[in-house]
Amino acid sequence: MRCLGRFIALWFAGLFVLMWPCSMWTFSTHQIAFSVKLYKELFTNESFYEELIPLVLPSLVKEFDEPELEPGELALGEVVDNLDHRDWEQIAPGLVPADWVKQEVERNLDDFFSWMEGDRDALVIVFHTEPLRRQLYSPAASHAIDRIIEALPVCSPDEEAEFELFAQGLEGHEYTYCQPTRPDLIMLLRNKLIAAKNELADDVPGEIDIVEEFEAGAREEAEREGKEIPDGTFSRVWFNEMRAGIRLWKRLVVLVFLIPASLLSLIVIFAVRSSKSFFRWMGCPLILGSLLTLTPLLFLPFMLPDIQLEWRTDIEQELETGGSLVGEIISEGMLRLAVGEFTRPILAESAIVIGIGFFFLVLSVLLSDPDAPPDEAYPAGYTQQVYQTPSGSAMQELATRVDDTPPLDRTPPPENSI
């Protein structure tokens, strides 16, 4: 019967080792993923806004630049793509206001989490682009255009001749994105870049409503495929259903620890018969479960790029306008920083649990086993003496040490011995 109990306890221990990582990661995800204060602190401390500024304009250019240009016209996005990334990081603040980026991200974060907590009835995620448009028309943007020209590599004589023909609007000639040496060609290039910048500023709408764009994207996809729009797909109804599920999950998340706790209780019921076996049965599952909890951290650096790409692609496909910008914010910002933030609590909590499990194992070694056979209960050199009462109803066992020392030889020496 005892063997059967231990066999069942081993099954429960294996289930605990599998369930404990799920509970730990679920609880940590809840603590991190739904904390607006944490995101704001991360964005500020990790220089998120400074890293986002160079991504704003290329994201908008993907959606508002003309896909087909007339001969002799330039697309600002293509020029930016041909710049060195380090040069563009220095130039971008002249075209994109840093305060505007921080203000829009934090305001939308506050609105989203306020709606999530039930403080707002409707979800509103809107990017107001008027400050960006004003910046694109400002003298600072014209100065940034000059810096773009300076950052381009110097044209060879053949490339400069090709650019001159391209600037005249002749078909069959392409610009190789280099810096001409002649002042008149430099001024011509500057005028074309300023015209491309102003055209982008004209095309960018004053507001980008993300929720409406989700709904518009779902309608257009359904119409394109000739299907009916499913009820609640990427609509406000769908977002409200998502909020209800998340709020319910937040209130029940603490219950995820009841499953591993119940498994440990079942182990105690089926296998534990003493304090020694208790600490042994508790220590091993805690250590193994915590080590398995740390395993995903080894693979996160390799999985994160694929997750980021998948999220960004899905968002860009669902959003007709602003998809690239929102994809960069969520995948490159929130996802990357949040996943990085998982490592510290998971490491700390797992280290504590491993320490507790190791302490339990040490105690199990130090404590004596009451289930040991009687002949093993006394150390070597001791024997048992059994006494019986006259009535024969009581027994008493005493342990006395057996003296193995040989007796002294007290025989007198011979008289003739020296």
Side-chain angles (χ1 to χ4, degrees):
M1 189 67 181
R2 181 174 297 181
C3 293
L4 178 61
R6 290 180 177 178
F7 179 76
I8 296 175
L10 281 176
W11 275 98
F12 288 137
L15 290 176
F16 173 85
V17 172
L18 296 177
M19 292 300 301
W20 182 248
C22 300
S23 300
M24 291 283 288
W25 277 92
T26 301
F27 183 76
S28 298
T29 302
H30 162 261
Q31 294 295 106
I32 294 172
F34 300 103
S35 174
V36 62
K37 181 180 178 181
L38 175 64
Y39 284 119
K40 288 184 177 181
E41 292 178 354
L42 282 177
F43 288 171
T44 302
N45 298 334
E46 300 293 335
S47 302
F48 166 72
Y49 299 110
E50 289 78 2
E51 296 177 2
L52 183 61
I53 288 174
L55 303 177
V56 171
L57 208 59
S59 299
L60 296 177
V61 163
K62 291 179 182 179
E63 299 172 357
F64 301 115
D65 256 7
E66 291 292 336
E68 296 181 0
L69 300 174
E70 298 293 331
E73 293 184 352
L74 288 177
L76 187 60
E78 295 182 3
V79 178
V80 172
D81 291 340
N82 284 274
L83 288 176
D84 185 84
H85 183 68
R86 291 170 296 181
D87 293 332
W88 174 241
E89 287 181 345
Q90 301 296 323
I91 298 171
L95 296 169
V96 180
D99 295 339
W100 171 77
V101 173
K102 182 178 181 180
Q103 177 182 351
E104 291 299 307
V105 172
E106 291 187 349
R107 181 178 55 78
N108 283 296
L109 277 177
D110 289 332
D111 292 344
F112 177 78
F113 283 99
S114 296
W115 169 78
M116 187 68 69
E117 295 295 332
D119 299 333
R120 301 172 64 98
D121 296 332
L123 175 61
V124 178
I125 303 177
V126 178
F127 287 90
H128 302 282
T129 61
E130 189 59 33
L132 174 63
R133 299 175 65 190
R134 289 198 302 267
Q135 181 77 5
L136 290 174
Y137 287 120
S138 68
S142 299
H143 178 65
I145 294 297
D146 294 333
R147 296 181 62 185
I148 289 176
I149 297 174
E150 295 173 358
L152 293 172
V154 179
C155 295
S156 65
D158 293 339
E159 291 175 335
E160 187 166 316
E162 183 71 11
F163 171 71
E164 186 175 7
L165 296 174
F166 166 80
Q168 295 175 6
L170 300 179
E171 295 184 359
H173 298 278
E174 297 182 354
Y175 175 46
T176 55
Y177 303 101
C178 59
Q179 176 186 352
T181 57
R182 288 166 44 185
D184 58 329
L185 295 181
I186 293 177
M187 183 59 63
L188 185 58
L189 175 60
R190 183 178 186 274
N191 293 335
K192 289 185 177 295
L193 290 177
I194 290 178
K197 170 185 67 68
N198 294 338
E199 184 177 359
L200 174 63
D202 294 337
D203 293 338
V204 173
E207 291 183 352
I208 302 177
D209 192 324
I210 302 302
V211 179
E212 290 186 359
E213 292 298 328
F214 267 123
E215 294 178 337
R219 285 195 299 268
E220 291 185 5
E221 182 178 359
E223 292 174 358
R224 185 169 53 251
E225 297 178 359
K227 301 178 181 179
E228 294 183 359
I229 303 176
D231 295 336
T233 301
F234 287 115
S235 64
R236 298 188 186 276
V237 176
W238 181 86
F239 281 112
N240 288 331
E241 292 175 353
M242 178 194 69
R243 177 179 65 171
I246 293 176
R247 293 182 66 183
L248 177 63
W249 178 55
K250 289 178 63 177
R251 284 162 174 77
L252 300 179
V253 68
V254 70
L255 300 180
V256 298
F257 290 108
L258 289 181
I259 298 177
S262 62
L263 292 173
L264 291 180
S265 300
L266 291 172
I267 292 174
V268 173
I269 294 173
F270 282 94
V272 173
R273 295 294 181 267
S274 63
S275 58
K276 183 181 182 70
S277 62
F278 170 81
F279 289 118
R280 181 183 299 166
W281 279 99
M282 294 298 103
C284 291
L286 288 176
I287 292 176
L288 295 177
S290 298
L291 291 177
L292 187 61
T293 303
L294 297 175
T295 303
L297 297 179
L298 302 176
F299 302 97
L300 272 180
F302 306 100
M303 298 168 55
L304 185 57
D306 295 334
I307 298 174
Q308 288 177 323
L309 179 60
E310 182 178 356
W311 279 35
R312 185 167 59 247
T313 302
D314 292 343
I315 293 173
E316 290 178 358
Q317 290 176 351
E318 297 296 339
L319 287 175
E320 294 293 326
T321 304
S324 298
L325 178 58
V326 176
E328 295 290 353
I329 293 174
I330 293 179
S331 64
E332 297 295 334
M334 297 178 67
L335 180 62
R336 175 175 58 86
L337 295 179
V339 170
E341 194 67 14
F342 281 143
T343 57
R344 280 178 286 190
I346 290 293
L347 284 173
E349 294 164 4
S350 298
I352 293 174
V353 177
I354 290 174
I356 293 174
F358 182 76
F359 178 70
F360 282 0
L361 288 181
V362 172
L363 285 179
S364 69
V365 174
L366 297 178
L367 294 175
S368 60
D369 189 0
D371 296 331
D375 55 347
E376 297 179 2
Y378 302 97
Y382 284 80
T383 185
Q384 298 184 51
Q385 295 181 2
V386 180
Y387 297 89
Q388 187 172 6
T389 60
S391 63
S393 60
M395 299 291 292
Q396 183 179 9
E397 297 184 1
L398 299 176
T400 59
R401 180 173 178 79
V402 178
D403 191 1
D404 296 333
T405 306
L408 295 176
D409 187 6
R410 300 182 181 275
T411 305
E415 296 180 358
N416 297 332
S417 61
I418 300 176

Short mmCIF file of all heavy atoms in Angstrom, two decimals, residues 376-416:
data_model
loop_
_atom_site.label_atom_id
_atom_site.label_comp_id
_atom_site.label_asym_id
_atom_site.label_seq_id
_atom_site.Cartn_x
_atom_site.Cartn_y
_atom_site.Cartn_z
N GLU A 376 18.76 -0.76 12.81
CA GLU A 376 19.48 0.39 12.29
C GLU A 376 19.24 1.64 13.12
O GLU A 376 19.75 2.70 12.81
CB GLU A 376 19.04 0.67 10.84
CG GLU A 376 19.37 -0.46 9.90
CD GLU A 376 18.91 -0.16 8.48
OE1 GLU A 376 18.38 0.95 8.28
OE2 GLU A 376 19.07 -1.03 7.61
N ALA A 377 18.42 1.48 14.16
CA ALA A 377 18.08 2.65 14.95
C ALA A 377 19.18 3.00 15.95
O ALA A 377 19.15 4.07 16.53
CB ALA A 377 16.77 2.41 15.70
N TYR A 378 20.11 2.04 16.20
CA TYR A 378 21.18 2.30 17.17
C TYR A 378 22.52 2.23 16.48
O TYR A 378 22.74 1.37 15.62
CB TYR A 378 21.14 1.27 18.31
CG TYR A 378 19.82 1.26 19.02
CD1 TYR A 378 18.84 0.31 18.68
CD2 TYR A 378 19.53 2.18 20.00
CE1 TYR A 378 17.62 0.30 19.33
CE2 TYR A 378 18.32 2.18 20.66
CZ TYR A 378 17.36 1.24 20.32
OH TYR A 378 16.17 1.24 20.94
N PRO A 379 23.45 3.09 16.82
CA PRO A 379 24.76 3.07 16.18
C PRO A 379 25.55 1.85 16.57
O PRO A 379 25.22 1.14 17.53
CB PRO A 379 25.39 4.37 16.68
CG PRO A 379 24.69 4.68 17.95
CD PRO A 379 23.29 4.17 17.80
N ALA A 380 26.65 1.63 15.86
CA ALA A 380 27.52 0.48 16.12
C ALA A 380 28.12 0.59 17.52
O ALA A 380 28.47 1.67 17.98
CB ALA A 380 28.62 0.40 15.06
N GLY A 381 28.26 -0.54 18.15
CA GLY A 381 28.82 -0.54 19.49
C GLY A 381 27.79 -0.56 20.58
O GLY A 381 28.14 -0.56 21.77
N TYR A 382 26.47 -0.51 20.21
CA TYR A 382 25.39 -0.53 21.20
C TYR A 382 24.59 -1.81 21.04
O TYR A 382 24.51 -2.37 19.94
CB TYR A 382 24.47 0.68 21.04
CG TYR A 382 25.05 1.96 21.55
CD1 TYR A 382 25.97 2.68 20.80
CD2 TYR A 382 24.67 2.45 22.80
CE1 TYR A 382 26.51 3.85 21.28
CE2 TYR A 382 25.21 3.64 23.27
CZ TYR A 382 26.12 4.34 22.51
OH TYR A 382 26.65 5.51 22.99
N THR A 383 24.00 -2.27 22.14
CA THR A 383 23.14 -3.44 22.11
C THR A 383 21.87 -3.13 22.86
O THR A 383 21.79 -2.13 23.59
CB THR A 383 23.83 -4.66 22.75
OG1 THR A 383 22.99 -5.80 22.58
CG2 THR A 383 24.07 -4.43 24.25
N GLN A 384 20.83 -3.93 22.66
CA GLN A 384 19.55 -3.71 23.30
C GLN A 384 19.36 -4.69 24.46
O GLN A 384 19.75 -5.84 24.39
CB GLN A 384 18.40 -3.93 22.31
CG GLN A 384 18.41 -2.97 21.13
CD GLN A 384 17.20 -3.20 20.28
OE1 GLN A 384 16.08 -3.23 20.76
NE2 GLN A 384 17.43 -3.37 18.98
N GLN A 385 18.75 -4.20 25.50
CA GLN A 385 18.36 -5.03 26.65
C GLN A 385 16.86 -4.89 26.83
O GLN A 385 16.36 -3.77 26.93
CB GLN A 385 19.09 -4.62 27.92
CG GLN A 385 20.60 -4.84 27.84
CD GLN A 385 21.29 -4.45 29.12
OE1 GLN A 385 20.63 -4.05 30.08
NE2 GLN A 385 22.60 -4.62 29.16
N VAL A 386 16.18 -5.99 26.85
CA VAL A 386 14.73 -6.01 26.95
C VAL A 386 14.34 -6.50 28.34
O VAL A 386 14.85 -7.53 28.80
CB VAL A 386 14.11 -6.89 25.85
CG1 VAL A 386 12.59 -6.88 25.96
CG2 VAL A 386 14.56 -6.42 24.49
N TYR A 387 13.47 -5.75 28.98
CA TYR A 387 12.99 -6.11 30.30
C TYR A 387 11.48 -6.26 30.23
O TYR A 387 10.81 -5.48 29.56
CB TYR A 387 13.36 -5.06 31.34
CG TYR A 387 14.87 -4.91 31.52
CD1 TYR A 387 15.58 -4.01 30.72
CD2 TYR A 387 15.56 -5.67 32.47
CE1 TYR A 387 16.94 -3.89 30.86
CE2 TYR A 387 16.93 -5.54 32.61
CZ TYR A 387 17.62 -4.65 31.81
OH TYR A 387 18.96 -4.50 31.93
N GLN A 388 10.98 -7.21 30.89
CA GLN A 388 9.56 -7.49 30.89
C GLN A 388 9.02 -7.37 32.31
O GLN A 388 9.63 -7.86 33.27
CB GLN A 388 9.29 -8.90 30.35
CG GLN A 388 7.80 -9.19 30.17
CD GLN A 388 7.59 -10.51 29.46
OE1 GLN A 388 8.56 -11.23 29.23
NE2 GLN A 388 6.37 -10.83 29.15
N THR A 389 7.90 -6.71 32.45
CA THR A 389 7.27 -6.56 33.76
C THR A 389 6.71 -7.90 34.22
O THR A 389 6.50 -8.82 33.41
CB THR A 389 6.15 -5.53 33.69
OG1 THR A 389 5.18 -5.98 32.75
CG2 THR A 389 6.68 -4.18 33.24
N PRO A 390 6.51 -8.05 35.50
CA PRO A 390 5.98 -9.34 35.98
C PRO A 390 4.67 -9.72 35.34
O PRO A 390 4.41 -10.90 35.11
CB PRO A 390 5.81 -9.11 37.48
CG PRO A 390 6.81 -8.05 37.79
CD PRO A 390 6.87 -7.16 36.59
N SER A 391 3.84 -8.75 35.03
CA SER A 391 2.56 -9.09 34.40
C SER A 391 2.70 -9.49 32.95
O SER A 391 1.78 -10.04 32.35
CB SER A 391 1.59 -7.91 34.52
OG SER A 391 2.12 -6.80 33.81
N GLY A 392 3.84 -9.15 32.34
CA GLY A 392 4.08 -9.50 30.93
C GLY A 392 3.39 -8.60 29.95
O GLY A 392 3.35 -8.90 28.76
N SER A 393 2.84 -7.49 30.43
CA SER A 393 2.08 -6.62 29.53
C SER A 393 2.87 -5.44 29.05
O SER A 393 2.43 -4.74 28.16
CB SER A 393 0.82 -6.12 30.25
OG SER A 393 1.19 -5.40 31.41
N ALA A 394 4.02 -5.16 29.58
CA ALA A 394 4.79 -3.98 29.19
C ALA A 394 6.19 -4.38 28.82
O ALA A 394 6.76 -5.31 29.41
CB ALA A 394 4.81 -2.96 30.32
N MET A 395 6.75 -3.68 27.86
CA MET A 395 8.13 -3.92 27.40
C MET A 395 8.90 -2.62 27.51
O MET A 395 8.37 -1.55 27.25
CB MET A 395 8.14 -4.42 25.96
CG MET A 395 7.41 -5.74 25.73
SD MET A 395 8.26 -7.12 26.49
CE MET A 395 9.74 -7.18 25.46
N GLN A 396 10.15 -2.72 27.81
CA GLN A 396 11.00 -1.54 27.91
C GLN A 396 12.33 -1.87 27.25
O GLN A 396 12.91 -2.92 27.54
CB GLN A 396 11.23 -1.14 29.37
CG GLN A 396 12.06 0.13 29.50
CD GLN A 396 12.26 0.52 30.96
OE1 GLN A 396 11.92 -0.25 31.86
NE2 GLN A 396 12.80 1.68 31.18
N GLU A 397 12.79 -1.01 26.35
CA GLU A 397 14.03 -1.25 25.63
C GLU A 397 15.06 -0.22 26.07
O GLU A 397 14.76 0.97 26.11
CB GLU A 397 13.83 -1.14 24.11
CG GLU A 397 12.87 -2.21 23.58
CD GLU A 397 12.75 -2.14 22.07
OE1 GLU A 397 13.43 -1.26 21.49
OE2 GLU A 397 11.99 -2.92 21.49
N LEU A 398 16.23 -0.68 26.40
CA LEU A 398 17.34 0.20 26.79
C LEU A 398 18.52 -0.11 25.90
O LEU A 398 18.76 -1.27 25.54
CB LEU A 398 17.73 -0.02 28.26
CG LEU A 398 16.63 0.29 29.30
CD1 LEU A 398 17.14 -0.06 30.69
CD2 LEU A 398 16.24 1.75 29.22
N ALA A 399 19.24 0.89 25.60
CA ALA A 399 20.43 0.72 24.76
C ALA A 399 21.66 0.91 25.64
O ALA A 399 21.78 1.93 26.31
CB ALA A 399 20.44 1.73 23.62
N THR A 400 22.52 -0.05 25.69
CA THR A 400 23.77 0.02 26.46
C THR A 400 24.92 -0.25 25.52
O THR A 400 24.81 -1.04 24.58
CB THR A 400 23.77 -0.99 27.60
OG1 THR A 400 23.61 -2.30 27.06
CG2 THR A 400 22.63 -0.71 28.59
N ARG A 401 26.01 0.42 25.77
CA ARG A 401 27.18 0.27 24.92
C ARG A 401 27.92 -1.01 25.28
O ARG A 401 28.12 -1.32 26.46
CB ARG A 401 28.12 1.46 25.07
CG ARG A 401 29.37 1.35 24.20
CD ARG A 401 30.19 2.62 24.24
NE ARG A 401 31.39 2.48 23.46
CZ ARG A 401 31.47 2.56 22.15
NH1 ARG A 401 30.38 2.79 21.45
NH2 ARG A 401 32.61 2.41 21.50
N VAL A 402 28.30 -1.77 24.29
CA VAL A 402 29.07 -3.00 24.49
C VAL A 402 30.54 -2.64 24.59
O VAL A 402 31.07 -1.95 23.70
CB VAL A 402 28.83 -3.99 23.34
CG1 VAL A 402 29.67 -5.24 23.54
CG2 VAL A 402 27.36 -4.36 23.28
N ASP A 403 31.18 -3.06 25.65
CA ASP A 403 32.60 -2.74 25.85
C ASP A 403 33.42 -3.80 25.14
O ASP A 403 33.49 -4.96 25.57
CB ASP A 403 32.92 -2.72 27.33
CG ASP A 403 34.32 -2.14 27.58
OD1 ASP A 403 34.96 -1.77 26.59
OD2 ASP A 403 34.71 -2.06 28.78
N ASP A 404 34.00 -3.43 24.01
CA ASP A 404 34.82 -4.36 23.23
C ASP A 404 36.29 -4.33 23.62
O ASP A 404 37.13 -4.99 23.00
CB ASP A 404 34.69 -4.02 21.73
CG ASP A 404 33.28 -4.24 21.26
OD1 ASP A 404 32.58 -5.07 21.86
OD2 ASP A 404 32.87 -3.55 20.27
N THR A 405 36.67 -3.56 24.68
CA THR A 405 38.08 -3.46 25.07
C THR A 405 38.52 -4.75 25.78
O THR A 405 37.84 -5.19 26.72
CB THR A 405 38.29 -2.26 26.01
OG1 THR A 405 37.78 -1.11 25.37
CG2 THR A 405 39.75 -2.08 26.34
N PRO A 406 39.57 -5.38 25.35
CA PRO A 406 40.01 -6.63 26.02
C PRO A 406 40.44 -6.34 27.46
O PRO A 406 40.93 -5.26 27.77
CB PRO A 406 41.18 -7.10 25.16
CG PRO A 406 41.65 -5.88 24.47
CD PRO A 406 40.45 -5.01 24.27
N PRO A 407 40.23 -7.30 28.39
CA PRO A 407 40.62 -7.09 29.79
C PRO A 407 42.15 -7.00 29.95
O PRO A 407 42.90 -7.56 29.16
CB PRO A 407 40.05 -8.31 30.50
CG PRO A 407 39.95 -9.36 29.44
CD PRO A 407 39.63 -8.62 28.17
N LEU A 408 42.56 -6.31 31.00
CA LEU A 408 43.99 -6.16 31.28
C LEU A 408 44.56 -7.47 31.81
O LEU A 408 43.90 -8.20 32.58
CB LEU A 408 44.21 -5.04 32.29
CG LEU A 408 43.82 -3.63 31.82
CD1 LEU A 408 44.00 -2.64 32.97
CD2 LEU A 408 44.63 -3.22 30.63
N ASP A 409 45.79 -7.78 31.42
CA ASP A 409 46.48 -8.98 31.89
C ASP A 409 47.14 -8.67 33.23
O ASP A 409 48.13 -7.93 33.29
CB ASP A 409 47.53 -9.44 30.86
CG ASP A 409 48.15 -10.77 31.20
OD1 ASP A 409 47.69 -11.41 32.18
OD2 ASP A 409 49.09 -11.16 30.46
N ARG A 410 46.56 -9.24 34.33
CA ARG A 410 47.08 -8.98 35.68
C ARG A 410 47.95 -10.14 36.21
O ARG A 410 48.24 -10.20 37.39
CB ARG A 410 45.91 -8.72 36.63
CG ARG A 410 45.07 -7.52 36.22
CD ARG A 410 43.96 -7.30 37.23
NE ARG A 410 43.15 -6.15 36.81
CZ ARG A 410 43.44 -4.88 37.09
NH1 ARG A 410 44.56 -4.61 37.74
NH2 ARG A 410 42.65 -3.91 36.70
N THR A 411 48.40 -11.08 35.35
CA THR A 411 49.28 -12.21 35.80
C THR A 411 50.64 -11.67 36.16
O THR A 411 51.24 -10.90 35.36
CB THR A 411 49.40 -13.24 34.68
OG1 THR A 411 48.08 -13.65 34.31
CG2 THR A 411 50.22 -14.42 35.16
N PRO A 412 51.20 -11.99 37.38
CA PRO A 412 52.53 -11.46 37.76
C PRO A 412 53.58 -12.04 36.84
O PRO A 412 53.48 -13.17 36.39
CB PRO A 412 52.68 -11.91 39.20
CG PRO A 412 51.79 -13.08 39.35
CD PRO A 412 50.62 -12.82 38.45
N PRO A 413 54.60 -11.32 36.56
CA PRO A 413 55.69 -11.81 35.70
C PRO A 413 56.51 -12.90 36.41
O PRO A 413 56.50 -12.99 37.65
CB PRO A 413 56.52 -10.57 35.47
CG PRO A 413 56.24 -9.70 36.62
CD PRO A 413 54.84 -9.98 37.03
N PRO A 414 57.16 -13.76 35.69
CA PRO A 414 58.00 -14.81 36.30
C PRO A 414 59.10 -14.17 37.14
O PRO A 414 59.56 -13.06 36.91
CB PRO A 414 58.55 -15.58 35.10
CG PRO A 414 57.63 -15.23 33.97
CD PRO A 414 57.10 -13.90 34.23
N GLU A 415 59.55 -15.00 38.19
CA GLU A 415 60.57 -14.47 39.09
C GLU A 415 61.90 -14.29 38.41
O GLU A 415 62.68 -13.40 38.75
CB GLU A 415 60.74 -15.43 40.28
CG GLU A 415 59.48 -15.53 41.13
CD GLU A 415 59.67 -16.49 42.30
OE1 GLU A 415 60.75 -17.06 42.36
OE2 GLU A 415 58.75 -16.62 43.10
N ASN A 416 62.19 -15.14 37.43
CA ASN A 416 63.50 -15.04 36.76
C ASN A 416 63.54 -14.05 35.64
O ASN A 416 64.56 -13.90 34.96
CB ASN A 416 63.92 -16.43 36.22
CG ASN A 416 64.10 -17.44 37.35
OD1 ASN A 416 64.42 -17.04 38.47
ND2 ASN A 416 63.87 -18.73 37.03
#
